[in-house]
Amino acid sequence: MLIKNNRISIDDIIDECKNFYFAGQETTSSLLGWTIFLLATNKEWQEKARKEVAESFGQKVPNADGLSSLKIMNMILDESLRLYPPVPFIKRKVELTLPPKMLIYISPLAVQHDHKIWGEHVHVFKPDRFAEGVVKATNNNPVAFLPFGYGPQTCLGLNFAMIEAKISLSMILQRYMFTTSPTYVH
């Protein structure tokens, strides 16, 4: 953002908001696509989510109060992010032990599929592993769950993306049931 004379113009703010919104479009749509796929192949979780949405909103438009009570939805989204993180790698510049300016690529996919952390059913869709939160799901190693990065460089859009995904998925579940084609091969 270019600041002129120590002032931020309304156009600058609008541009920053647009940037923030559009930057997350691809990753949020990836999250929703994989979540719908996982729910289509796991009907019991699709029905649990639909029931929770119906209890929270009925056929009304989702609201902030109801979104915060969607425990099953949170578990489903976290498990979708674990199995299919929308960002294939996280790049960091190392200035400490390794040579300066060295770039390190961290693969959330590899970490989130480590059977030592996630157990023998690491490749199975099991949203209930998040029933008691990320720390319990990762066997007290929350750094093993990286769909939005971790620490001071965690994605700024984390909360926005999760709210957007919850609203979208709630509205989809209110209106549709989905299944995979009998000829689909994963």
Side-chain angles (χ1 to χ4, degrees), residues 82-181:
R82 185 189 71 78
L83 287 169
Y84 300 103
V87 178
F89 59 84
I90 300 168
K91 180 174 75 172
R92 295 291 181 258
K93 190 182 297 184
V94 176
E95 305 266 353
L96 301 170
T97 310
L98 298 172
K101 310 290 185 202
M102 179 179 233
L103 296 177
I104 299 291
Y105 291 86
I106 302 161
S107 170
L109 190 60
V111 175
Q112 292 171 190
H113 284 81
D114 184 338
H115 73 278
K116 292 176 196 159
I117 296 166
W118 298 95
E120 64 181 85
H121 300 292
V122 68
H123 301 294
V124 177
F125 180 70
K126 291 180 45 136
D128 54 338
R129 75 176 79 233
F130 288 96
E132 297 182 57
V134 171
V135 174
K136 292 271 188 183
T138 59
N139 295 316
N140 295 314
N141 188 2
V143 179
F145 187 61
L146 299 168
F148 293 96
Y150 191 81
Q153 294 183 339
T154 298
C155 176
L156 292 173
L158 184 156
N159 291 329
F160 181 75
M162 293 304 284
I163 289 169
E164 185 178 30
K166 287 179 196 177
I167 291 170
S168 300
L169 191 55
S170 293
M171 293 176 80
I172 291 167
L173 286 166
Q174 286 173 326
R175 293 165 179 80
Y176 303 101
M177 295 178 79
F178 26 89
T179 187
T180 53
S181 166

Side-chain angles (χ1 to χ4, degrees), residues 18-74:
K18 286 178 184 176
N19 188 28
F20 188 69
Y21 178 77
F22 289 115
Q25 286 299 111
E26 189 175 320
T27 54
T28 304
S29 65
S30 173
L31 167 59
L32 288 169
W34 283 115
T35 301
I36 289 170
F37 165 76
L38 288 165
L39 291 176
T41 57
N42 294 273
K43 296 281 191 209
E44 69 281 0
W45 283 101
Q46 183 179 158
E47 288 312 311
K48 287 179 185 181
R50 183 172 288 105
K51 182 179 176 194
E52 181 180 62
V53 167
E55 288 171 0
S56 295
F57 309 115
Q59 288 301 311
K60 295 179 182 173
V61 175
N63 58 51
D65 293 334
L67 289 177
S68 63
S69 68
L70 297 177
K71 184 176 181 177
I72 290 170
M73 178 86 68
N74 284 336

